[in-house]
Amino acid sequence: MRVTPPSLPRSSVRRRGVLLGSGALLAAPAVVQAQGQTGVALVIGNSKYKWEASLPNAKRDATDVAKAFQALGLKTELVLDVGRDAMFAALEKFKSAAQGANLAAFYFAGHGAFWEKETYLVPEDADLANPAAVRTLLPVGSIAAALYGARHRLLVFDSCRNNPADGWRQKEAVFQARFDSVNANQGTSAPDTLSLFSTAPGAIALDGPPGENSPFAAAFLRQLAAESIDLQAMGTLLRRDLLIASECRQMVWEQNTYATPFVLKGIRRAAPRPGPVGIVELPRLYEFARQNKMPVPAGLVALRLGNEHDSKVGAFSWANRSAIALLPAYFAILSASNNIAQMIICTFAADYGQARNLTARWRLTPIALSGNVATFETVDGTTRVELKWKDASSGSYSTLPLHGSAPPYYNPFVRLDG
């Protein structure tokens, strides 16, 4: 689903799937030239559901994105409030339209679900209380396959990626957000393709205040309103924009196979952006990661939200003790409020059980805050980690196995940025 957390000023609901209704064709101009060839787009927005909560903003988001695609010169079809059969029919029609197109763009706003490493779009007539409903959902992979006949592809999904129905394998879904972007992203391996997900695997997406666009849709529309649009760079710009707009509650997930820039002529209209209040840039984190050949998501930014935990916001490094050596590691507290923080952490781990075959992986995870201590569990659920601040610039990273009697160990960490 798409939700607005209680701490945000206005209420809304989460996005977890797609909805019911009829298709409608936008009053679009005839196919026009885009980068010298034709371009096409399919936009689906689902606001009404038989079995799930309504999403009033999804229809608005889809309509606004469809208008933006038209302004870019794409022949655009807008489909609102559709069930399974209508969704599959629209996709099949779009598959034919995408053949030979210079650019094929797909945008979805509505409920979504994550199941066994795949993101699904949920038709309005699917009952998510039944785990068997997964067989009736529309997998993202099928959309990527439908666009394969185009030379360039843009796939955008503004929906939740958690497991509904009282959390069918929700822990498994969250686990997928705990690796580097290559392992965690689901999309397509086709060249010249940008797949954008409004949130991480296992996480919710915000629907936004009533009568407005969702935070992700608003940020995406700002990208389309630029003077020029580079699909190779869009994920980085969008991630930064959305982190600021959502107070780091929501982070764009992407798969990008563009090896070189692919630039479209933008809409060229004024596009207000989120104000730079409390922004913490992370240049030393990126330098630390580069020097140690460690991955880090592009476009990261941290925010101080004006509370007692602001001193913990920023990036930190330490030397992580492994079976064979002390290895570089980092974590970044992106935001902290209501005793919960959003953190990116990157360490070296054994790959496929080979102690000397180490791979650096980052993961996104919430952590619990209490005073000068933050805690979370490791990916495998066997170890509790404690971050304890001595002062604003340093502290200790310690681990304690949740099973067995192995003693904890402590490594000092120091601040990089903030």
Side-chain angles (χ1 to χ4, degrees):
M1 290 184 177
R2 301 200 315 195
V3 290
T4 296
S7 58
L8 289 184
R10 284 173 283 184
S11 62
S12 67
V13 292
R14 354 180 166 188
R15 293 192 172 179
R16 191 179 64 197
V18 297
L19 336 187
L20 113 95
S22 59
L25 185 65
L26 256 188
V31 175
V32 298
Q33 297 299 310
Q35 296 296 305
Q37 293 188 32
T38 57
V40 293
L42 172 62
V43 178
I44 299 177
N46 295 312
S47 290
K48 298 177 182 177
Y49 293 75
K50 281 185 177 179
W51 311 108
E52 303 298 319
S54 295
L55 294 173
N57 291 343
K59 183 182 293 188
R60 175 179 297 101
D61 295 342
T63 301
D64 290 347
V65 168
K67 290 177 180 177
F69 281 162
Q70 284 184 286
L72 291 174
L74 305 179
K75 185 179 182 182
T76 303
E77 183 171 4
L78 173 64
V79 180
L80 299 174
D81 295 337
V82 286
R84 181 183 185 277
D85 291 346
M87 286 183 68
F88 277 83
L91 184 60
E92 190 63 25
K93 179 181 176 183
F94 188 53
K95 179 179 179 180
S96 298
Q99 291 294 321
N102 189 49
L103 173 64
F106 176 89
Y107 181 93
F108 171 80
H111 283 314
F114 192 84
W115 176 260
E116 295 182 348
K117 301 182 181 181
E118 177 67 276
T119 299
Y120 293 89
L121 313 182
V122 187
E124 64 84 22
D125 46 6
D127 182 1
L128 296 181
N130 179 5
V134 70
R135 294 191 294 269
T136 70
L137 309 183
L138 182 64
V140 162
S142 68
I143 299 168
L147 273 61
Y148 195 82
R151 291 182 57 194
H152 299 273
R153 290 157 289 271
L154 171 63
L155 299 90
V156 187
F157 307 98
D158 189 5
S159 62
C160 286
R161 302 178 73 193
N162 58 342
N163 255 321
D166 298 322
W168 345 314
R169 300 188 183 179
Q170 175 60 17
K171 188 173 182 179
E172 178 186 45
V174 174
F175 183 85
Q176 299 304 318
R178 299 189 176 201
F179 289 95
D180 63 76
S181 57
V182 172
N183 290 327
N185 289 324
Q186 299 298 312
T188 175
S189 58
D192 296 328
T193 302
L194 174 62
S195 299
L196 294 169
F197 298 88
S198 66
T199 194
I204 61 171
L206 305 175
D207 193 54
E212 299 183 13
N213 293 120
S214 77
F216 175 83
F220 182 63
L221 287 166
R222 284 192 288 271
Q223 296 301 314
L224 299 185
E227 190 167 336
S228 63
I229 305 160
D230 181 2
L231 296 192
Q232 185 188 41
M234 180 185 283
T236 298
L237 298 173
L238 190 56
R239 181 175 296 111
R240 177 186 172 90
D241 194 337
L242 183 60
L243 283 170
I244 295 171
S246 68
E247 297 184 345
C248 294
R249 290 171 170 85
Q250 190 173 334
M251 191 173 87
V252 170
W253 223 250
E254 69 173 302
Q255 185 178 58
N256 194 336
T257 61
Y258 275 96
T260 58
F262 178 69
V263 181
L264 300 170
K265 186 176 181 180
I267 300 172
R268 295 186 181 180
R269 67 170 180 243
R273 305 182 67 82
V277 178
I279 290 178
V280 178
E281 303 290 352
L282 305 173
R284 294 182 64 190
L285 169 63
Y286 281 95
E287 178 62 18
F288 177 85
R290 185 191 65 78
Q291 289 178 350
N292 292 286
K293 298 181 180 179
M294 304 176 75
V296 59
L300 281 188
V301 65
L303 290 178
R304 293 196 172 99
L305 304 177
N307 60 57
E308 69 274 19
H309 297 299
D310 275 352
S311 63
K312 300 179 183 65
V313 172
F316 302 81
S317 68
W318 82 99
N320 192 33
R321 186 176 305 169
S322 77
I324 60 175
L326 285 175
L327 299 168
Y330 70 77
F331 68 91
I333 307 293
L334 303 184
S335 66
S337 63
N338 299 326
N339 297 323
I340 295 291
Q342 298 299 321
M343 180 176 73
I344 294 282
I345 184 170
C346 184
T347 60
F348 282 88
D351 200 8
Y352 303 109
Q354 302 297 316
R356 294 186 177 277
N357 187 17
L358 298 176
T359 301
R361 294 190 173 106
W362 65 265
R363 66 187 185 273
L364 173 68
T365 185
I367 59 174
L369 298 174
S370 179
N372 67 334
V373 177
T375 58
F376 62 98
E377 289 186 9
T378 54
V379 169
D380 57 11
T382 63
T383 305
R384 180 176 182 267
V385 177
E386 180 180 275
L387 305 172
K388 192 171 187 177
W389 276 260
K390 179 180 67 176
D391 52 44
S393 297
S394 61
S396 63
Y397 175 102
S398 62
T399 62
L400 179 66
L402 296 175
H403 310 287
S405 57
Y409 69 83
Y410 302 87
N411 289 337
F413 63 73
V414 296
R415 184 179 289 271
L416 291 171
D417 294 301

